[in-house]
């Protein structure tokens, strides 16, 4: 067993050795496949190691397009503009990535490059083929993602290679990128099912050697491809997000600003895993707008904006209200149906139906609103009228709906006209209605009763 002096921790540590194996290590004790995956503990707790700068990166135009019909060039450019407006010169929304293969892909890239924005930077995503670097180079892109699958599931089953064959091919591809003076961002696909000490760390060590020789960064994206990562302290590798990130930074000696986390939401952990990646040493977390991505989706960009603010105590210049504009654009211009209960962007995220909640909002909206959503997101809390909204709900709806539409009506619970509106609502549900009352319906009823 070899030891070496770690320049980052300044102590002697075990040097993890590359292990070539004849049979793939599929971690069947954790991933039996014919059963739900298991959470196995090794009780190893690693310290938090928050980087000096935190960044959000975007894959809306890459992973976000793999789960839906492609965006038009015009839509891509407008969304890119929105990302720039959200960043607002802060540099927090660091980069976004594009496919570069089709005529439409290339046109979108060129039009976004013409914007000449500092942030988010335009980067690419390409296959692990040398000829693809020529495409990236011809477009003038300075950084590209490269797929380097790292679990034995992918190396043995998909690529039909051994670990040594896969590493050799990957290193040749990264070398080609560096020779082309393009910063490679190595996407460690399926890292939460990979042999961390036997393949991941030794491979990273070789990448760092190439980086030093070329005097260019070689960035690492740790990809939780199936959303199997866990934030729970003491969970064993390969599922432990804290141990993966801490290990890459401290044993792989990868600078935090070169390290990125890419998560999926298969087990409802995309957001918390991304936050843990930040807390344990990765500067960047990869996201997509509205969480749109393969299967259950990626980490939502808007969620990580809110996580950033909670961690840092400030938006650091980001224009948060743009999140609501983005959601409206997706709904109205792209025709994307946002699930109503989606935090921050869904129709119901700061809406209430319960009469007791509405009564609280009427007294002081802070009682039932997570923060001043009107000031921060341009979306004041609202009430949806149904069988349980009560008098208070109707009062709030009238006062806010008509104010928003330029009509000065302010009523209270004692106004006799409110009781007539309440009777109409009650009658709807007594006669079998089981849907909420639309704004248009209620507007018509209020107009008639109030004589507007």
């Amino acid at each position: 067993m070899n030891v070496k002096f770690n320049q980052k921790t300044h102590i002697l540590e075990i040097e993890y050795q590359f292990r070539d194996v004849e049979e793939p290590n599929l971690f069947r004790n954790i991933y039996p496949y014919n059963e739900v995956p298991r959470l196995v503990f090794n009780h190893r707790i690693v310290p938090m190691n928050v980087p000096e700068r935190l960044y959000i990166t975007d894959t809306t135009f890459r992973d976000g397009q793999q789960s839906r019909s492609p965006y038009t060039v015009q839509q891509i450019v407008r969304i890119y503009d929105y990302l720039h407006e959200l960043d607002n010169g802060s540099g927090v929304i660091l980069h976004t990535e594009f496919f570069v293969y089709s005529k439409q892909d290339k046109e979108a890239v060129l039009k976004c490059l013409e914007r000449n924005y500092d942030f988010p930077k335009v980067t690419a995503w390409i296959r692990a083929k040398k000829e693809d670097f020529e495409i990236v180079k011809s477009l003038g892109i300075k950084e590209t993602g490269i797929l380097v699958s790292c679990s034995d599931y992918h190396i043995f089953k998909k690529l039909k290679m051994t670990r040594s064959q896969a590493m050799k091919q990957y290193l040749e591809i990264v070398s080609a990128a560096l020779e082309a003076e393009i910063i490679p961002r190595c996407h460690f696909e399926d890292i939460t099912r990979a042999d961390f000490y036997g393949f991941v760390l030794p491979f990273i060590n070789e990448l760092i050697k190439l980086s030093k020789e070329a005097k260019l960064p070689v960035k690492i994206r740790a990809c939780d491809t199936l959303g199997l990562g866990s934030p729970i302290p003491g969970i064993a590798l390969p599922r432990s997000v804290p141990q993966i990130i801490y290990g890459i930074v401290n044993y792989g000696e990868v600078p935090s600003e070169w390290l990125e986390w890419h998560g999926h939401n298969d087990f409802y952990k995309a957001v918390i895993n991304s936050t843990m990646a930040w807390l344990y040493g990765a500067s960047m977390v990869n996201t997509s707008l509205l969480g749109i991505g393969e299967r259950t989706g990626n980490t939502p960009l808007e969620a990580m904006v809110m996580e950033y603010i909670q961690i840092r105590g400030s938006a650091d210049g980001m224009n948060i209200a743009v999140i609501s504009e983005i959601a409206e654009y997706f709904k109205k211009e792209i025709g994307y149906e946002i699930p109503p209960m989606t935090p921050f962007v869904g129709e119901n995220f700061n809406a209430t139906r319960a009469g007791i909640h509405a009564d609280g909002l009427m007294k002081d909206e802070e009682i039932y609103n997570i923060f001043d959503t009107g000031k921060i997101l341009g979306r004041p809390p609202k009430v949806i009228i149904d069988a349980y909204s009560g008098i208070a709900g109707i009062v709030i709806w009238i006062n806010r709906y008509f104010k928003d539409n330029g009509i000065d009506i302010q009523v209270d619970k004692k106004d006799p006209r409110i009781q007539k509106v309440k009777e109409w609502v009650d009658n709807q549900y007594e006669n079998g209605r089981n849907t909420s009352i639309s704004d248009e319906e209620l507007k018509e009823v209020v107009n008639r009763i109030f004589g507007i």
Side-chain angles (χ1 to χ4, degrees):
M1 185 178 294
N2 295 334
V3 296
K4 69 173 183 177
F5 187 79
N6 188 321
Q7 297 295 334
K8 196 167 189 73
T9 60
H10 307 296
I11 56 175
L12 288 169
E13 296 177 346
I14 294 171
E15 185 174 25
Y16 298 101
Q17 301 292 308
F18 171 76
R19 289 195 294 264
D20 219 353
V21 292
E22 292 185 6
E23 297 295 326
N25 182 358
L26 304 180
F27 295 95
R28 287 301 187 205
N29 59 331
I30 297 174
Y31 302 122
Y33 194 64
N34 59 344
E35 300 174 17
V36 174
R38 298 164 182 163
L39 289 169
V40 176
F41 287 76
N42 62 4
H43 302 290
R44 183 170 183 236
I45 308 297
V46 295
M48 286 198 295
N49 180 31
V50 185
E52 184 177 351
R53 288 293 308 270
L54 302 179
Y55 300 100
I56 297 168
T57 66
D58 175 68
T59 188
T60 296
F61 310 128
R62 200 272 301 176
D63 207 333
Q65 286 201 103
Q66 292 178 177
S67 64
R68 62 176 308 283
S69 300
Y71 300 112
T72 66
V73 171
Q74 291 74 24
Q75 288 170 343
I76 288 174
V77 174
R78 185 65 192 101
I79 294 168
Y80 182 63
D81 287 341
Y82 275 127
L83 289 170
H84 174 69
E85 292 165 20
L86 174 59
D87 178 77
N88 198 36
S90 67
V92 175
I93 315 296
L94 186 61
H95 66 69
T96 185
E97 61 187 341
F98 293 76
F99 285 124
V100 292
Y101 297 112
S102 72
K103 180 182 177 181
Q104 180 172 300
D105 292 336
K106 293 172 185 175
E107 183 182 350
V109 167
L110 291 172
K111 284 188 177 295
C112 289
L113 284 170
E114 286 173 3
R115 292 294 204 257
N116 201 30
Y117 295 150
D118 289 331
F119 301 102
K121 301 178 189 300
V122 173
T123 72
W125 185 96
I126 59 173
R127 299 165 298 188
K129 296 184 177 181
K130 292 181 181 180
E131 58 266 28
D132 286 11
F133 295 116
E134 295 305 315
I135 302 174
V136 175
K137 196 171 183 180
S138 70
L139 292 170
I141 299 173
K142 304 299 183 184
E143 178 179 321
T144 188
I146 306 168
L147 193 64
V148 289
S149 306
C150 64
S151 75
D152 286 351
Y153 286 87
H154 287 255
I155 293 171
F156 282 79
K157 291 173 172 283
K158 182 177 75 176
L159 300 178
K160 306 298 182 183
M161 292 182 178
T162 64
R163 291 181 181 180
S164 58
Q165 289 170 335
M167 186 183 291
K168 181 176 182 292
Q169 178 174 304
Y170 297 158
L171 292 173
E172 288 174 354
I173 291 161
V174 172
S175 295
L178 293 170
E179 288 171 12
E181 297 185 340
I182 294 169
I183 294 173
R185 186 178 61 242
C186 297
H187 292 197
F188 277 56
E189 184 181 21
D190 205 26
I191 199 168
T192 47
R193 292 193 297 178
D195 185 340
F196 189 73
Y197 296 117
F199 183 81
V200 172
L201 280 180
F203 178 35
I204 287 174
N205 290 338
E206 295 302 315
L207 291 173
I208 293 301
K209 289 178 186 176
L210 291 179
S211 172
K212 290 176 180 177
E213 290 170 7
K215 295 182 172 56
L216 280 174
V218 174
K219 297 183 179 181
I220 307 296
R221 175 182 288 181
C223 301
D224 187 15
T225 305
L226 295 181
L228 293 162
S230 173
I232 301 171
I235 288 292
L237 287 168
R239 296 192 74 175
S240 172
V241 177
Q243 289 183 47
I244 289 171
I245 298 301
Y246 181 85
I248 291 174
V249 172
N250 289 277
Y251 305 142
E253 299 183 31
V254 175
S256 289
E257 60 269 23
W258 294 3
L259 180 57
E260 180 183 31
W261 175 262
H262 170 93
H264 282 262
N265 202 37
D266 298 72
F267 285 84
Y268 284 106
K269 290 185 172 68
V271 173
I272 185 59
N273 283 341
S274 295
T275 303
M276 297 300 274
W278 266 342
L279 295 179
Y280 284 86
S283 278
M284 299 173 284
V285 294
N286 190 235
T287 65
S288 69
L289 286 171
L290 310 182
I292 300 170
E294 287 196 280
R295 301 184 316 279
T296 57
N298 297 99
T299 306
L301 184 146
E302 61 278 6
M304 296 317 296
V305 168
M306 294 301 179
E307 291 290 280
Y308 181 99
I309 296 169
Q310 292 181 87
I311 292 170
R312 292 303 202 200
S314 168
D316 288 335
M318 286 185 285
N319 184 359
I320 309 307
V322 174
I323 289 172
S324 298
E325 296 179 36
I326 291 169
E328 284 300 303
Y329 182 80
F330 269 80
K331 286 188 289 185
K332 294 179 178 178
E333 300 299 327
I334 295 177
Y336 180 75
E337 187 175 339
I338 301 174
M341 292 183 289
T342 306
F344 312 124
V345 292
E347 191 67 26
N348 293 348
F349 113 85
N350 65 338
T352 185
R353 296 170 186 258
I356 189 169
H357 286 197
D359 190 61
L361 284 173
M362 192 163 59
K363 292 170 181 173
D364 187 334
E365 71 174 45
E366 191 173 352
I367 297 171
Y368 282 114
N369 204 22
I370 57 173
F371 51 74
D372 190 342
T373 56
K375 175 185 176 183
I376 295 170
L377 290 172
R379 290 186 56 178
K382 69 175 187 176
V383 173
I384 296 172
I385 303 301
D386 65 11
Y388 303 103
S389 302
I391 290 285
I394 293 170
V395 168
I396 292 176
W397 186 93
I398 290 173
N399 288 342
R400 290 201 170 148
Y401 180 85
F402 284 94
K403 180 182 179 182
D404 289 345
N405 287 275
I407 300 174
D408 187 20
I409 293 179
Q410 291 294 305
V411 296
D412 59 33
K413 293 168 69 173
K414 297 178 182 178
D415 192 312
R417 296 171 296 181
I418 297 297
Q419 186 58 45
K420 293 182 180 180
V421 178
K422 174 72 163 53
E423 289 171 2
W424 180 87
V425 171
D426 290 344
N427 187 58
Q428 293 289 305
Y429 293 101
E430 287 169 5
N431 286 303
R433 180 168 183 155
N434 59 8
T435 60
S436 61
I437 310 292
S438 72
D439 286 352
E440 285 302 313
E441 286 179 282
L442 202 55
K443 172 189 171 185
E444 189 175 311
V445 171
V446 172
N447 283 348
R448 175 169 48 82
I449 292 174
F450 280 59
I452 298 174

